[in-house]
Amino acid sequence: MGNEMRSFPKLHPIRLKAPGGAARDVTIETPVILAPMSGVTDLPFRRLVKSMGAGLVVSEMIASWAMIRENAATLRMASVDEGTGPNSVQLAGCDPAAMAEAARIAVAGGADLVDINFGCPVKKVAVGQMAGSALMRDEVQAGRILEATAKAVDVPVTLKMRMGWDRQSLNAPTLARIAQESGIAMVTVHGRTRQQFYEGTADWDFIASVKAAVAIPVIANGDITTEDEAEEALRRSQADGVMIGRGAYGRPWFLAQVARYLATGQKLPAPDMEMRRDVLIGHYRAMRAHYGEQPGLRVARKHIGWYVRGLPGAAEFRAAVNRQDDSAAVEAMIHEIHARAMGETDAPVQAAA
């Protein structure tokens, strides 16, 4: 059956009510959302993904205690583009008062939304700090954190979590109800347990049980790397939108492709090689401007590697870039690998000295 005959799950704008009044309400016109990813969703990447069509972008996870200390690195992680559409800052922590204070700081810094992390599976967070996904094991403390954070600010507060700690404790529907009663405006569910980390497959069907448990919007997350997967995740979860994480690695345009497909059933063509090169160069320069030349180059290496996946000589190129400390030389190498992919040169990528 062709796309024109298919019944697509429709995306509708989501309006999140703010306790501070209608002026602080947030409308996500197209609920195709960039997931918070540590070390990835910094301001340059969020700015780029939003400019290409994402409905909402979320910062990388920020520890509440670090936000309160207001060190330079944390404030840089929490920086947002004010007045460019909704931005969200994600916070993690296990102390209600600290989470509330961190939320106030984030909003003072321009955040339109505050997101609470109950999903991080990393041992340092979930075990060492009893934060992230560990809070799914303590519903009472989770409720205290949700309520304290929601009451602390006049903007909508959202929650991101997993299905549960493990298969024996799939309590996301219960926590979603607690969140709703605590004043949380929207819930995102990654369709895995904490114990799965990122292994196995995301269970989009389970997310439907969370959607059925609450009246607030629910977003489906996990394993969305193609337009067809986005459609299937939305259909099976009955969610109000999708959140995309690793599917955006090296593809800041992917969220726009998903939004177009879900709206019309038509797939946007992948960017041509010239556009891919220009997007990467712009992103690379933005990272250097944001962090400084040398720190920016180091942060950029993983992104550059993602952008060139599938190009001829990509493995050798990545190895050369990872050895190269001259930012201008790296930019020249980016031009060269794309020129080879376009058939403009047969020269190999030059290895770093």
Side-chain angles (χ1 to χ4, degrees):
M1 186 180 294
N3 282 347
E4 69 279 3
M5 300 295 293
R6 295 165 69 176
S7 173
F8 276 73
K10 293 295 184 184
L11 286 179
H12 300 284
I14 295 173
R15 187 174 181 86
L16 305 180
K17 292 288 188 179
R24 302 309 301 266
D25 286 356
V26 170
T27 298
I28 307 172
E29 295 291 346
T30 305
V32 178
I33 302 168
L34 179 67
M37 294 178 282
S38 293
V40 177
T41 53
D42 56 13
L43 183 59
F45 190 59
R46 282 181 277 134
R47 183 180 284 153
L48 176 59
V49 174
K50 177 182 284 186
S51 74
M52 301 192 87
L56 175 69
V57 294
V58 187
S59 78
E60 52 194 314
M61 180 185 71
I62 300 169
S64 55
W65 59 265
M67 179 70 91
I68 292 169
R69 291 178 182 175
E70 296 189 56
N71 61 61
T74 300
L75 293 177
R76 184 170 60 208
M77 288 169 65
S79 56
V80 299
D81 280 329
E82 295 187 67
T84 61
N87 289 278
S88 177
V89 170
Q90 189 185 72
L91 301 174
C94 59
D95 178 71
M99 286 288 286
E101 180 59 24
R104 284 189 282 265
I105 294 168
V107 172
D112 303 298
L113 293 165
V114 173
D115 189 60
I116 298 173
N117 184 307
F118 281 6
C120 180
V122 176
K123 185 176 181 180
K124 182 175 74 171
V125 175
V127 178
Q129 300 172 16
M130 294 304 293
S133 56
L135 287 160
M136 298 196 73
R137 303 177 82 182
D138 188 344
E139 293 173 4
V140 173
Q141 184 68 358
R144 292 187 184 117
I145 289 169
L146 294 167
E147 186 172 0
T149 309
K151 285 183 175 179
V153 292
D154 62 354
V155 304
V157 176
T158 62
L159 169 66
K160 186 171 189 287
M161 60 180 169
R162 291 189 165 226
M163 298 191 301
W165 181 261
D166 55 29
R167 281 282 170 184
Q168 286 66 54
S169 54
L170 300 177
N171 62 335
T174 299
L175 268 173
R177 285 191 291 269
I178 293 171
Q180 180 174 265
E181 292 163 4
S182 301
I184 299 302
M186 183 175 76
V187 170
T188 298
V189 183
H190 181 131
R192 286 182 173 85
T193 66
R194 184 269 173 180
Q195 297 297 63
Q196 284 182 273
F197 285 81
Y198 297 98
E199 300 299 319
T201 14
D203 188 344
W204 300 324
D205 296 305
F206 177 85
I207 298 172
S209 67
V210 181
K211 174 63 181 172
V214 292
I216 58 176
V218 173
I219 306 297
N221 174 229
D223 291 352
I224 300 173
T225 60
T226 68
E227 294 98 321
D228 293 311
E229 287 170 345
E231 179 202 352
E232 187 68 12
L234 200 61
R235 189 188 306 280
R236 285 167 49 186
S237 68
Q238 298 297 302
D240 301 282
V242 293
M243 178 176 279
I244 294 170
R246 290 173 290 172
Y249 283 6
R251 298 191 297 165
W253 50 81
F254 177 57
L255 280 80
Q257 291 177 305
V258 168
R260 172 69 174 272
Y261 187 59
L262 293 177
T264 68
Q266 301 298 316
K267 292 184 179 179
L268 289 172
D272 62 26
M273 201 57 58
E274 186 176 359
M275 179 180 174
R276 287 173 61 173
R277 178 201 64 202
D278 292 347
V279 170
L280 170 50
I281 291 292
H283 188 187
Y284 176 51
R285 291 175 178 173
M287 284 184 279
R288 287 153 50 199
H290 184 67
Y291 293 103
E293 281 292 323
Q294 282 304 304
L297 169 56
R298 290 192 292 271
V299 171
R301 285 171 176 157
K302 60 178 175 284
H303 287 276
I304 294 170
W306 293 328
Y307 275 101
V308 302
R309 280 182 304 193
L311 296 187
E316 296 83 357
F317 169 83
R318 285 192 298 268
V321 165
N322 289 340
R323 294 191 300 267
Q324 180 59 263
D325 291 324
D326 184 281
S327 57
V330 170
E331 187 163 324
M333 292 163 66
I334 292 170
H335 278 282
E336 188 174 314
I337 191 172
H338 286 85
R340 285 194 297 116
M342 289 186 282
E344 296 176 2
T345 177
D346 295 324
V349 174
Q350 296 297 310

